[in-house]
Amino acid sequence: MKIDGVVNSIPAEGLTLTGWRETSFPHTLEAVDQVIDRYSYTSKNNWTPRIGPQLNGRQIQISAANNTYTANFNTATGVVFQNYFVGVSSGGIFKVNGVQVNAPYTVYLSAGNTVTVEAPSQIVNGVQYNFLNWQYYDFQNPRTFNTSSDYINTAYYQGKPTPTPNVQINENMVVNQPIHITWSEHPNANVTQYNIYRKVKHSKYYGFEGPILLAALQRGVTSYYDYDYVYTNGYTDDLLWYDVRAFYKPEQTFADSNYLAVFGAGGRFIAKANDGNNDKIILSKDAIPDKYNLDQNYPNPFNPGTQIKYAIKDAGFVTIEVFDVLGRLITTLVNEEKPAGYFTVNFDAAGLSSGIYFYTIKTNGFFDRKKMILLR
C-alpha cells in the first residue's frame, strides 16, 4: 500500500498508523497491485468503509477520525508455462490463446476462467524441437488450463539438428575429377558428427543403389571426396545423390535427409600421376589391383559407422568378419563371390559398446587382420 505516496509493507494483521498530528490531515491511502506467491491481486477500485473524499478508484483521503480502512482486491491464480529442451533446459516460445509469447510465461486466471496454450515446434540454436508431452505424459496439444491446474506446467520436447548448412557439390570441380562435397560447420556445438550418404541411379539399370554410409566424420571436418566416382557433365551417366547428415549428441538424433544430385561416372579410380597443378590428380578408371589388400578403416576411432576398403587381385570367394577382443564373431560383412577390383563395405556399430574390435579378410588363400576402435 502507498501511504502519502510512499510504499509500505502491510503485515497480515494490518498496520496501525499513530503519531500523526491533527493538523497534518488529510492523508492519502492508495491500493497497489501485487503478486504474492502464485496469486495476483488487482485493486477493485474501492475501499471499506467508503467514507472520505474519493480521489480515484485506488486512492482515498482519510480524516483524523479513528477508523479501519480495507483495500478490496480481485484475486487471480498464477499458472506458469515452461519448456524443457535436452541440452538447453528452457526458453523458447508458447502460443497463449493464439498469441506467441516467450517462455517461461505466467498467466493469471480468476475463478471460472481458462486459457489455451500450445507448445509449438520451434528451432533453438540450430536444433528443431518437436513437442512430446506435458508432465504426467499428457499428450494433448494445444491444451486448456484453469485455476485448478498445476502451478508450473512443463512441455517436453525431442530435438534433432537442422540440416547441415551450405552443403554443395564443389562448383569448381573439373570433369573426370573425384566428387567433392563441402559444407559449413553446424551452428550447434553439440552436433559432433556428419554422416555422408550416397544414393545412385545407374544410367543402364532401373532402380536405385543405396543409400549407403560412405563416412562418419567428426566435427571440424567440412569436406569429403568420393573417389568411387568422378564428376561428369553428361546426362547419360549415373545420377548421384549425396547427403551430409548432422548428428546431435545429447539426444542421439540425426537431421532429416537432404540430398543433392550430381552426374558422375562409376567405377574405382586410383591416382596415376600428378600433373604438377596444385593437388590435382590424373585418374585412371577401372584399374585392377596387382595385389590383395585390406585398408585401415576410416574413420578410426569411429562412432557409430566406419568404412572398410579392400582390394581383390583375382576373382574368388571373399569373407570379411568382425570380432571382439575375446575372439567372438560380431558380424559378417562380406560372404560372397567377388570379381577382381576395389571394394568398400560399411560397418555400423550401433548397439555395441566402446572398445577394440578386429576385422579380417579371407580370399584365395590371402588373410589379413586389422584393429579398429569404437569410441562413444
Side-chain angles (χ1 to χ4, degrees):
M1 178 183 296
K2 286 184 179 181
I3 302 173
D4 292 334
V6 178
V7 175
N8 286 259
S9 296
I10 309 299
E13 64 274 14
L15 178 65
T16 301
L17 301 173
T18 60
W20 281 343
R21 297 178 181 274
E22 286 192 23
T23 56
S24 68
F25 285 89
H27 292 279
T28 60
L29 303 180
E30 182 179 347
V32 177
D33 294 345
Q34 54 205 282
V35 176
I36 302 174
D37 296 326
R38 68 175 293 190
Y39 299 102
S40 169
Y41 299 92
T42 56
S43 174
K44 287 186 175 181
N45 294 326
N46 61 60
W47 292 70
T48 303
R50 298 189 181 187
I51 61 174
Q54 190 87 12
L55 299 186
N56 59 48
R58 293 174 177 271
Q59 194 178 80
I60 61 171
Q61 285 187 349
I62 60 174
S63 66
N66 292 331
N67 211 332
T68 299
Y69 299 94
T70 303
N72 299 311
F73 288 87
N74 295 307
T75 303
T77 302
V79 183
V80 178
F81 300 94
Q82 65 182 15
N83 291 319
Y84 180 77
F85 308 124
V86 174
V88 179
S89 182
S90 61
I93 61 171
F94 283 106
K95 287 186 177 179
V96 177
N97 289 335
V99 178
Q100 181 174 304
V101 299
N102 292 325
Y105 188 78
T106 303
V107 177
Y108 290 98
L109 299 174
S110 56
N113 289 342
T114 62
V115 64
T116 300
V117 178
E118 178 185 356
S121 297
Q122 50 200 286
I123 295 175
V124 179
N125 192 24
V127 176
Q128 172 77 48
Y129 290 99
N130 297 311
F131 174 80
L132 288 177
N133 57 269
W134 301 96
Q135 72 263 40
Y136 312 125
Y137 296 96
D138 183 341
F139 300 99
Q140 185 178 353
N141 186 40
R143 182 174 181 264
T144 299
F145 297 83
N146 55 40
T147 54
S148 63
S149 301
D150 285 354
Y151 177 33
I152 297 177
N153 298 272
T154 303
Y156 292 87
Y157 289 77
Q158 182 178 52
K160 62 181 177 182
T162 54
T164 305
N166 301 321
V167 178
Q168 57 184 329
I169 308 299
N170 190 338
E171 61 183 14
N172 296 319
M173 279 194 310
V174 178
V175 171
N176 291 329
Q177 292 294 297
I179 305 295
H180 184 205
I181 309 155
T182 62
W183 61 92
S184 297
E185 197 79 277
H186 196 279
N188 192 299
N190 286 318
V191 169
T192 58
Q193 181 176 303
Y194 304 102
N195 280 12
I196 314 299
Y197 291 90
R198 182 185 68 209
K199 296 190 298 185
V200 182
K201 172 62 174 71
H202 294 290
S203 60
K204 298 179 181 180
Y205 307 98
Y206 291 105
F208 293 85
E209 172 192 316
I212 62 170
L213 175 63
L214 298 178
L217 306 175
Q218 299 302 306
R219 184 176 182 83
V221 179
T222 56
S223 71
Y224 178 79
Y225 284 92
D226 181 6
Y227 290 99
D228 291 334
Y229 286 87
V230 295
Y231 171 67
T232 67
N233 55 11
Y235 292 95
T236 59
D237 294 311
D238 291 345
L239 182 58
L240 314 172
W241 281 273
Y242 292 93
D243 181 24
V244 181
R245 205 168 301 173
F247 173 71
Y248 183 55
K249 186 174 182 180
E251 298 199 58
Q252 302 287 297
T253 54
F254 283 92
D256 292 334
S257 59
N258 186 29
Y259 284 91
L260 291 180
V262 65
F263 284 97
R268 175 69 182 186
F269 294 79
I270 62 171
K272 181 178 180 182
N274 191 303
D275 69 353
N277 182 15
N278 298 322
D279 60 353
K280 182 179 177 183
I281 296 174
I282 300 174
L283 300 173
S284 174
K285 182 179 179 182
D286 297 328
I288 301 300
D290 58 3
K291 64 178 181 178
Y292 296 98
N293 186 59
L294 178 64
D295 288 355
Q296 183 65 53
N297 66 296
Y298 180 84
N300 189 44
F302 66 98
N303 177 29
T306 190
Q307 186 179 81
I308 299 169
K309 294 186 177 183
Y310 58 100
I312 304 299
K313 179 181 176 183
D314 300 302
F317 197 87
V318 179
T319 301
I320 297 179
E321 298 173 317
V322 178
F323 300 86
D324 64 15
V325 292
L326 298 179
R328 295 176 297 196
L329 177 65
I330 299 299
T331 188
T332 299
L333 300 177
V334 179
N335 195 40
E336 61 184 1
E337 290 282 345
K338 290 284 189 183
Y342 296 91
F343 302 92
T344 299
V345 64
N346 295 296
F347 174 51
D348 185 357
L352 297 178
S353 58
S354 296
I356 296 174
Y357 294 85
F358 297 91
Y359 59 100
T360 65
I361 184 172
K362 291 182 290 185
T363 181
N364 296 335
F366 172 76
F367 175 84
D368 195 6
R369 182 181 77 164
K370 285 191 170 13
K371 178 174 70 175
M372 56 183 171
I373 300 174
L374 173 60
L375 186 60
R376 296 291 188 185

